[in-house]
Amino acid sequence: MSWSLNEIESLARKAARGAGFSWGLAEEAGYAARWLAGVNLPGPEALANLLIAQDGTAFSALRPTHTDVDTWQASGGTLCPISTGTALGDKARMLPAQCRLSDVAQPLLLVPFIAGAANIAQQTLFLEWPGAAFHVGSNLRGCVTTPFAQAQTVLLKQGGRTSLPLLRCQLRYDLAPGAAADLNNLAQRTYAPDTDASRLGGAGAGLSDND
Amino acid sequence: MQPDAQSPATAPLRAPDTVMTLARMGSFHQTRLSFMRILLRRIKSEGWAFSRPRFDIDARGVGIAVYTAHAPQNAYSLVVFANDLPPEKRSDRVIATEWDATFTLFDGIPTDADITRLRQNVPRQEAGRISAQELSLSRANRSVRLWDHVVASLAAGQQPDPAMIGDVGYLMRTTAVYGSGKFGAADREATQNRPEFSAPFQIEMLSVYLTRAFVMDLVEHMAYLRSPDTATALTPALRRQFGIGNSTGLGMAPFLLNHPGLLHAWISARETALARVRALPDASPSHVAQFLQIVKRARLHADAWRSAHPVQQAKLADLRRDLTLLEAEIAAKDWASSAPWDRLWRWGETALSLEGQEQLLALMLEPHAALVDDLSDRMSCDERTTWQIDGAMCCERLRALLKTHYGWALAIDWADPAAQTKLWYVSQSKLEPRLGERATEPLDDYEQPLCPGRDAARMWADLKNFTGATVADFALSHPEHRHILRRIQITARRPYAEIRGNTIGAALLPIDMLRAKLSFFGACHFDPRSDRWVRITMFQHAPFPDELASCPADDWTYPSLTPQSPNMHFAPTGASPA
């Protein structure tokens, strides 16, 4: 089914919140899923995989323990790409010439944050892991062969690789039904169960609509 | 804030702490910069054509109609599915499943195959699915009382009672108008570079404008089918007294909080317009004459404004009293003195209620089209440009910004239960935003991030003693504050981005948020039906599409001073009663 990018972003944000992300990080997850869908990469599917795999894990175990070192890692062993990506984006103007990320789940979800960092820092950045390479700067290039595989090492460095194919922008995305269902299930957790009292009081109706 | 060097001189802009209170936002009025008026000015200046390629509605009121607007580069078609709705199914609430009519704005001119596809989906609204070819999805219900009266009158060859029209103001009211990517529609990003949609909500306004034309055609058609031998059409003058109603509930309130950059763009355009008028060294006689006339028309508007809600009744009493004060002030005013508009404004700030002050703002803009209308080009916002957190900012700077822009929030005692009585959540059944009672409903786990004041105060508790150097360090240590951290940085750059009031306190009136937004649409006659939903009218007195070419496009929001006799109120060249 063809989804609008607003729908993708909204669903991804709610699903991330439902999976335990803070609202601010859930917004970042929504942004990442939308950004990738907008270049026809399976970001929403990667996010669905990530949220299910991380469900119930303490956030503190998934984020980088230190960001002032050359190799970032998580205390729990596997880095969350949303936490890691936002931390990289937050440090856009302070990134070292080269940075290694150890054991990243769904590394595809890093790409939107690197693109944001490149935009803020006004420089071209290059991101690669086995089976994937991305060049982000004044244009977007890249390819990925196994989009959902965990990466033992992701390398981020300044400079680009213009031999990579250009990414194609689009305004719609065909979201895989299984991933849509997974994201919807997680998003459901953000909705309060209905009661008659809340239906009447919560929206403030009660007067007749027939005039 | 620094005035723009390229623009007319401005007086100092009003402080965000003054403008962005809930009480003042709940007193906003439509202005020259309202989105309906921007749309009609464009339609007129570009000479859009309109056609009705299809109108197949049977005697029960069931069928399909298509209305097409031909802009210079693109055509847009309102596709209508009219329904024979049993009265017991008529509800304005989002929980409704059937409506008197449903609509979509189609990007182009639909083929029969498009209409077949839309017919499967549009009448089902949220339960259906539309495509990138559709730009909006909406529905409307009849005002049964007025509908029946108008059909019966016209069928009998009579004009309906103007007093009844005045009491209601519309034959149908929309109960939701969805745009930008909702239910599969095209995202705003798909159309935002078209000139006709560069200003905010132009798709939704066009949809409602064409809906109004359809509703008037439908009521006359139904009268004709009931009694072909005796039926007559509405006189043009009476026809224009019908607006489109709108029933807006809590679903709209979070929008202002979810789009801080956009809110800033709207408010700063309006505030800049006021500041430009206040900066004028003198008042030309023609501007003064126009102003005196528009004040009289605003009086008619205020007198015709009805509400059964005690809060609004008190505000209407304020407004009418303020207009009396204003009429006396301007009658005695020395317009030849220096900076007369600024002096009038300063008088209003001390003499008038919030209702009156905000009405005065709208009225002061009216004579100054050439000075302020260009600001409509600044009311959109690419929110992504300020979305990214600046992690290089030092924490000391963030602390200073928080104190500057959220001082109002730090002044609230959040330990007092009254400060957090309410909470925003989304219900499972219809995914509808609602407002709950924190103490009596187990809803804390579902709370939406719609309480920036409380969140800023919570962040302050962690930030004030944080020893890290940069915002990036703080964000890594405190991911729970990331949402409000982003807002604070946005507000630092765009100071009208934030409502500076408690959006979860015991005293919150969500209708204040609704009115602020609806005033930017150009809505009039706000009539709260409770503290959390409101009825309004849109496009009342506006020329219809076929009239726009031959009459002013932007002289309709306040009623005419001319007596409301047929053919006098509106008399396009060569027109005769239908």
Side-chain angles (χ1 to χ4, degrees):
Chain A
M1 185 169 82
S2 163
W3 291 59
S4 73
L5 297 185
N6 273 345
E7 288 179 301
I8 299 275
E9 178 168 4
S10 174
L11 177 62
R13 181 179 64 244
K14 289 178 202 166
R17 174 63 180 168
F21 282 48
S22 73
W23 277 114
L25 277 177
E27 289 159 358
E28 305 283 358
Y31 157 75
R34 179 198 183 116
W35 191 97
L36 288 164
V39 292
N40 200 27
L41 288 170
E45 290 83 351
L47 182 68
N49 294 342
L50 177 80
L51 297 178
I52 288 168
Q54 285 186 181
D55 199 15
T57 309
F59 176 81
S60 56
L62 300 165
R63 72 184 176 202
T65 49
H66 299 284
T67 57
D68 50 2
V69 293
D70 290 342
T71 300
W72 291 19
Q73 46 201 354
S75 64
T78 302
L79 281 167
C80 163
I82 304 298
S83 309
T84 308
T86 53
L88 285 165
D90 290 350
K91 293 184 80 79
R93 292 196 182 90
M94 304 174 278
L95 289 174
Q98 182 166 312
C99 179
R100 278 175 196 282
L101 312 172
S102 281
D103 290 312
V104 185
Q106 304 297 333
L108 186 64
L109 290 165
L110 290 169
V111 178
F113 301 104
I114 306 307
N119 187 40
I120 283 194
Q122 292 290 296
Q123 61 181 181
T124 301
L125 296 173
F126 179 68
L127 186 72
E128 73 175 335
W129 64 92
F134 288 91
H135 157 120
V136 293
S138 56
N139 54 44
L140 304 169
R141 298 172 177 277
C143 59
V144 56
T145 51
T146 51
F148 307 122
Q150 177 153 334
Q152 217 165 33
T153 302
V154 175
L155 184 67
L156 170 65
K157 57 185 181 184
Q158 294 174 8
R161 189 180 294 174
T162 52
S163 58
L164 290 166
L166 283 167
L167 300 179
R168 184 176 55 83
C169 291
Q170 59 185 24
L171 285 165
R172 307 290 290 189
Y173 184 72
D174 284 317
L175 176 57
D182 289 341
L183 292 171
N184 256 316
N185 285 338
L186 290 165
Q188 287 290 331
R189 296 182 187 173
T190 67
Y191 308 140
D194 225 23
T195 64
D196 285 347
S198 73
R199 191 159 41 229
L200 197 63
L207 294 175
S208 167
D209 291 329
N210 280 313
D211 67 348
Chain B
M1 274 164 280
Q2 296 299 311
D4 183 341
Q6 302 293 312
S7 301
T10 64
L13 300 191
R14 290 193 292 175
D17 281 335
T18 300
V19 178
M20 302 306 291
T21 65
L22 283 159
R24 187 178 293 276
M25 294 176 77
S27 301
F28 281 2
H29 292 256
Q30 65 84 26
T31 71
R32 298 194 63 83
L33 298 174
S34 298
F35 307 145
M36 281 177 220
R37 297 180 63 175
I38 293 171
L39 175 70
L40 290 206
R41 288 200 294 265
R42 176 179 288 277
I43 290 176
K44 168 89 176 176
S45 70
E46 295 182 346
W48 292 22
F50 293 87
S51 59
R52 193 181 79 174
R54 183 164 178 182
F55 194 91
D56 300 327
I57 312 269
D58 68 18
R60 292 182 304 131
V62 178
I64 296 173
V66 178
Y67 285 69
T68 301
H70 303 266
Q73 304 293 327
N74 302 290
Y76 304 100
S77 298
L78 184 77
V79 182
V80 184
F81 298 94
N83 185 20
D84 180 22
L85 182 68
E88 66 275 13
K89 288 197 168 180
R90 187 171 293 108
S91 170
D92 287 8
R93 298 284 315 284
V94 73
I95 54 178
T97 56
E98 242 186 284
W99 299 268
D100 283 313
T102 55
F103 312 88
T104 185
L105 190 70
F106 184 87
D107 188 4
I109 296 171
T111 63
D112 288 346
D114 289 320
I115 288 180
T116 301
R117 171 176 60 83
L118 294 170
R119 191 179 196 169
Q120 310 294 325
N121 290 282
V122 171
R124 299 168 62 209
Q125 295 284 293
E126 293 96 332
R129 186 80 188 156
I130 51 176
S131 78
Q133 279 267 275
E134 285 80 53
L135 307 178
S136 74
L137 181 70
S138 59
R139 66 288 192 102
N141 282 334
R142 291 176 190 166
S143 166
V144 176
R145 184 165 57 107
L146 190 56
W147 184 273
D148 290 345
H149 169 70
V150 174
V151 173
S153 302
L154 294 179
Q158 309 288 321
Q159 293 296 311
D161 176 7
M164 267 187 87
I165 301 170
D167 276 348
V168 180
Y170 54 81
L171 284 167
M172 277 199 197
R173 60 182 173 272
T174 54
T175 68
V177 182
Y178 296 110
S180 194
K182 295 277 172 54
F183 308 108
D187 284 314
R188 174 162 166 73
E189 287 74 5
T191 56
Q192 65 185 359
N193 293 327
R194 302 181 194 177
E196 59 270 26
F197 294 148
S198 61
F201 285 98
Q202 296 299 283
I203 287 170
E204 292 84 351
M205 296 301 110
L206 178 60
S207 163
V208 172
Y209 184 57
L210 294 175
T211 297
R212 175 174 176 250
F214 160 73
V215 170
M216 302 318 294
D217 286 355
L218 180 66
V219 78
E220 289 176 342
H221 179 68
M222 298 296 287
Y224 174 80
L225 291 183
R226 183 180 296 183
S227 179
D229 295 337
T230 57
T232 186
L234 285 160
T235 63
L238 213 48
R239 214 171 191 260
R240 281 177 68 170
Q241 292 187 35
F242 292 92
I244 281 287
N246 173 270
S247 208
T248 292
L250 283 180
M252 185 179 269
F255 182 92
L256 294 178
L257 289 160
N258 289 334
H259 297 277
L262 194 59
L263 178 61
H264 171 83
W266 297 0
I267 304 276
S268 67
R270 189 170 154 284
E271 293 301 314
T272 302
L274 171 65
R276 285 183 182 177
V277 174
R278 289 177 61 192
L280 289 173
D282 44 41
S284 77
S286 72
H287 285 162
V288 171
Q290 286 175 56
F291 181 69
L292 297 177
Q293 197 200 42
I294 207 76
V295 170
K296 286 184 188 159
R297 292 172 64 183
R299 155 68 68 180
L300 291 183
H301 177 266
D303 288 345
W305 184 344
R306 312 256 195 279
S307 178
H309 196 278
V311 168
Q312 187 58 39
Q313 284 176 338
K315 292 170 73 127
L316 282 173
D318 285 348
L319 179 63
R320 290 169 187 148
R321 185 209 57 170
D322 287 348
L323 284 168
T324 303
L325 292 173
L326 178 61
E327 283 168 334
E329 176 69 14
I330 59 181
K333 188 169 176 57
D334 173 14
W335 289 98
S337 64
S338 66
W341 297 108
D342 186 57
R343 283 149 52 113
L344 179 63
W345 178 256
R346 287 171 189 274
W347 166 81
E349 281 187 319
T350 58
L352 305 180
S353 69
L354 292 181
E355 272 280 347
Q357 289 176 35
E358 296 306 308
Q359 174 73 90
L360 177 59
L361 183 158
L363 297 173
M364 281 173 52
L365 303 192
E366 286 297 333
H368 295 106
L371 185 65
V372 306
D373 283 359
D374 67 296
L375 290 164
S376 64
D377 295 339
R378 297 197 201 171
M379 298 180 86
S380 291
C381 171
D382 178 359
E383 298 198 279
R384 206 59 84 175
T385 58
T386 55
W387 196 79
Q388 190 141 359
I389 286 172
D390 174 10
M393 178 185 281
C394 69
C395 286
E396 202 48 49
R397 172 83 179 133
L398 181 62
R399 279 189 275 269
L401 291 176
L402 196 154
K403 281 198 278 191
T404 299
H405 295 285
Y406 293 79
W408 59 270
L410 300 182
I412 294 172
D413 176 12
W414 295 97
D416 177 356
Q420 298 193 57
T421 303
K422 298 187 167 91
L423 87 174
W424 295 88
Y425 68 99
V426 174
S427 75
Q428 202 168 45
S429 66
K430 267 276 188 170
L431 311 185
E432 176 190 43
R434 289 182 184 163
L435 205 50
E437 296 293 318
R438 193 181 303 276
T440 56
E441 298 174 78
L443 292 168
D444 269 320
D445 289 346
Y446 303 102
E447 183 165 15
Q448 295 283 311
L450 298 170
C451 40
R454 193 271 317 270
D455 293 350
R458 279 184 179 171
M459 186 176 120
W460 177 251
D462 287 323
L463 179 67
K464 65 183 177 189
N465 298 318
F466 184 71
T467 55
T470 65
V471 165
D473 297 331
F474 182 73
L476 186 67
S477 299
H478 291 286
E480 71 276 18
H481 297 313
R482 192 171 184 85
H483 171 82
I484 187 66
L485 168 58
R486 190 192 320 280
R487 298 188 74 93
I488 291 167
Q489 288 195 335
I490 290 171
T491 302
R493 285 176 287 227
R494 299 180 176 183
Y496 297 119
E498 194 78 280
I499 297 172
R500 301 193 179 203
N502 184 358
T503 52
I504 54 171
L508 172 70
L509 292 174
I511 48 176
D512 287 338
M513 299 159 80
L514 302 179
R515 176 157 166 186
K517 187 180 179 201
L518 292 165
S519 74
F520 276 96
F521 284 10
C524 297
H525 293 204
F526 300 94
D527 177 17
R529 310 287 289 176
S530 79
D531 66 345
R532 47 193 79 179
W533 68 291
V534 62
R535 281 198 186 149
I536 54 165
T537 50
M538 304 171 77
F539 290 113
Q540 191 171 24
H541 305 299
F544 283 91
D546 61 313
E547 298 173 330
L548 262 178
S550 56
C551 70
D554 200 24
D555 188 34
W556 50 271
T557 43
Y558 297 99
S560 166
L561 294 175
T562 314
Q564 304 287 308
S565 59
N567 307 329
M568 298 251 324
H569 178 71
F570 165 68
T573 313
S576 58

